[in-house]
Amino acid sequence: MRKSKDQKIQRLLSLLRSAGSSGYVSGQSLAKRAEVSRSAVWKQVRGLRQYGYEVESTRGMGYRLVSDTQNPVPWELKKILRATTIGKDVVYLPVAKSTQSIALSIAEKNAEANGTVVIAEKQESGRGRQKRKWFSPEGGLWFSVIHRPSIPTHSITLLPLVAALAVREAIAKTTKLDPQLKWPNDIMISRKKVAGILLDISAEAEWVKYAVLGVGINANVDASVISAMINDTRGITTLRTELGHDVSRLELLRLILENLESHLGLLTREGENEIISAWKKASDMIGRKVSVLQNNGVVHEGVAVDLGQDGSLILETEWGRRMTINYGDVRVRY
Ligand code: BTN
């Protein structure tokens, strides 16, 4: 069987990794061992660099692998991921219209697909909540996860909260920053949005066939680039802008997928209360005055006092009346 481009690249990678003490392997030896021409070796080295590996080439010495990639390439992810279902299958694309639409069509066609992760380096038509566009340039972390829920239907509304928690914890661990959650599914740093979650479900009557969780993280991109692109008035930020340096998207993705698997497990074991209380602990909006804009133009104002069992937001209005909010855009008064 003919090797795919990725298989050839991985073969070259293992040859470079098995280099002797100098770290160099000559082009001739690589060509011989991989049974390809020297120009094919050169092309594959270029491929490795495109995947984010640093490969040095020195005249008379050959090639040397200087550093591994920190991009979320599937063969590196599989080596480090400690999850059983999530990430078992990974689809990795340099560019996609939207990982969400791809994951949705995989889930529709393949009833077995559970835990499949679709990642794109950039999206041309990324989707946000409430039919908004989601600008997704290179450097961000854009992916979708197929989940066939073995949880009661009434817990479905908790899925985005679970995903937001998983993302928050992973960002906190990799960056030592302290992101806060904003209802319903935003992850904020310095009170600006750094990541968002999108949930799509396919349901029939009382039965949920599958759910697709989309995660968008403004990682190694300048905030000014995104702000300019989306004409932002709400305030967005990126990990690069907050930290002043780039993060390993590979490590970030690994942590998110592992967290997601363990938090989803909690839902299966009827751990709704634990999820809700972890979410409230990770949010600085409880106890604050908020206004919620719904897409029929209605604005509700009050103090965010609690979350309901289904993840809805409970507001206490000026008159002491409690109301349950199921959707909307929240503005917090700090
Ligand atoms: C939001 O509006 O806050 C949710 C944004 C979700 C964006 C992600 S990026 C990966 C996945 N693919 C999409 O088209 N959207 C989601």
Side-chain angles (χ1 to χ4, degrees):
M1 208 171 68
R2 278 189 59 177
K3 281 197 166 77
S4 71
K5 176 180 162 235
D6 283 357
Q7 283 171 324
K8 288 181 191 157
I9 281 180
Q10 285 170 69
R11 162 104 181 109
L12 182 72
L13 194 56
S14 74
L15 292 173
L16 287 171
R17 282 189 175 134
S18 64
S21 54
S22 71
Y24 280 98
V25 192
S26 73
Q28 196 182 13
S29 146
L30 287 172
K32 198 168 156 214
R33 284 153 75 192
E35 296 173 348
V36 294
S37 67
R38 288 186 66 170
S39 76
V41 168
W42 184 80
K43 268 198 202 140
Q44 288 171 22
V45 166
R46 204 176 50 185
L48 271 179
R49 287 181 180 142
Q50 277 164 356
Y51 280 127
Y53 295 90
E54 203 183 329
V55 184
E56 199 176 74
S57 67
T58 307
R59 205 176 259 277
M61 302 278 279
Y63 299 99
R64 186 171 76 92
L65 179 65
V66 180
S67 62
D68 276 316
T69 184
Q70 296 306 318
N71 295 359
V73 293
W75 52 89
E76 298 295 349
L77 178 66
K78 289 212 165 147
K79 275 202 309 214
I80 54 173
L81 184 65
R82 286 187 295 271
T84 42
T85 308
I86 294 190
K88 218 167 61 177
D89 289 312
V90 177
V91 178
Y92 173 77
L93 302 158
V95 52
K97 285 210 160 12
S98 154
T99 59
Q100 197 75 0
S101 345
I102 296 173
L104 282 166
S105 85
I106 295 176
E108 194 54 47
K109 285 188 204 127
N110 178 1
E112 301 295 305
N114 185 20
T116 304
V117 180
V118 183
I119 313 161
E121 285 293 341
K122 68 175 190 187
Q123 299 184 114
E124 291 167 340
S125 321
R127 278 202 290 123
R129 279 176 55 240
Q130 306 202 2
K131 302 204 172 109
R132 294 192 189 108
K133 286 187 183 144
W134 183 264
F135 180 55
S136 326
E138 260 173 52
L141 185 53
W142 326 118
F143 66 96
S144 302
V145 180
I146 300 174
H147 178 56
R148 288 192 190 267
S150 49
I151 52 175
T153 328
H154 68 260
S155 299
I156 292 298
T157 46
L158 290 179
L159 283 179
L161 276 71
V162 162
L165 264 175
V167 171
R168 191 208 94 83
E169 286 163 11
I171 294 181
K173 191 154 181 192
T174 9
T175 64
K176 307 280 174 281
L177 295 169
D178 184 24
Q180 299 291 318
L181 298 182
K182 188 178 126 201
W183 192 89
N185 333 326
D186 292 349
I187 296 97
M188 317 289 286
I189 297 178
S190 313
R191 297 181 180 167
K192 294 177 182 155
K193 179 159 171 172
V194 73
I197 312 289
L198 179 68
L199 171 70
D200 284 309
I201 54 172
S202 168
E204 275 165 17
E206 291 294 288
W207 177 56
V208 174
K209 283 205 302 188
Y210 56 82
V212 173
L213 278 164
V215 177
I217 304 179
N218 302 331
N220 303 333
V221 194
D222 289 329
S224 56
V225 169
I226 299 189
S227 301
M229 213 45 216
I230 63 175
N231 209 353
D232 165 70
T233 48
R234 290 172 301 153
I236 73 110
T237 192
T238 70
L239 295 180
R240 177 192 278 171
T241 298
E242 293 298 318
L243 292 165
H245 60 79
D246 284 355
V247 294
S248 165
R249 290 178 302 136
L250 178 63
E251 182 60 9
L252 190 55
L253 178 63
R254 172 181 82 85
L255 288 169
I256 295 171
L257 299 181
E258 287 173 4
N259 290 345
L260 199 55
E261 183 159 292
S262 76
H263 292 354
L264 287 171
L266 206 59
L267 266 195
T268 319
R269 299 190 299 277
E270 295 177 3
E272 287 93 343
N273 288 338
E274 271 175 80
I275 299 288
I276 304 268
S277 71
W279 194 97
K280 287 195 287 192
K281 242 176 149 177
S283 172
D284 61 0
M285 63 178 272
I286 301 293
R288 291 190 194 270
K289 266 190 139 179
V290 300
S291 49
V292 186
L293 172 66
Q294 298 193 316
N295 54 13
N296 50 6
V298 172
V299 179
H300 300 287
E301 301 213 313
V303 176
V305 284
D306 208 350
L307 289 193
Q309 279 291 98
D310 58 354
S312 53
L313 179 67
I314 316 247
L315 284 194
E316 193 168 283
T317 65
E318 215 185 332
W319 320 107
R321 191 169 72 86
R322 283 199 168 208
M323 59 186 304
T324 302
I325 306 281
N326 292 307
Y327 75 95
D329 282 325
V330 172
R331 172 172 291 176
V332 186
R333 310 263 172 79
Y334 286 103

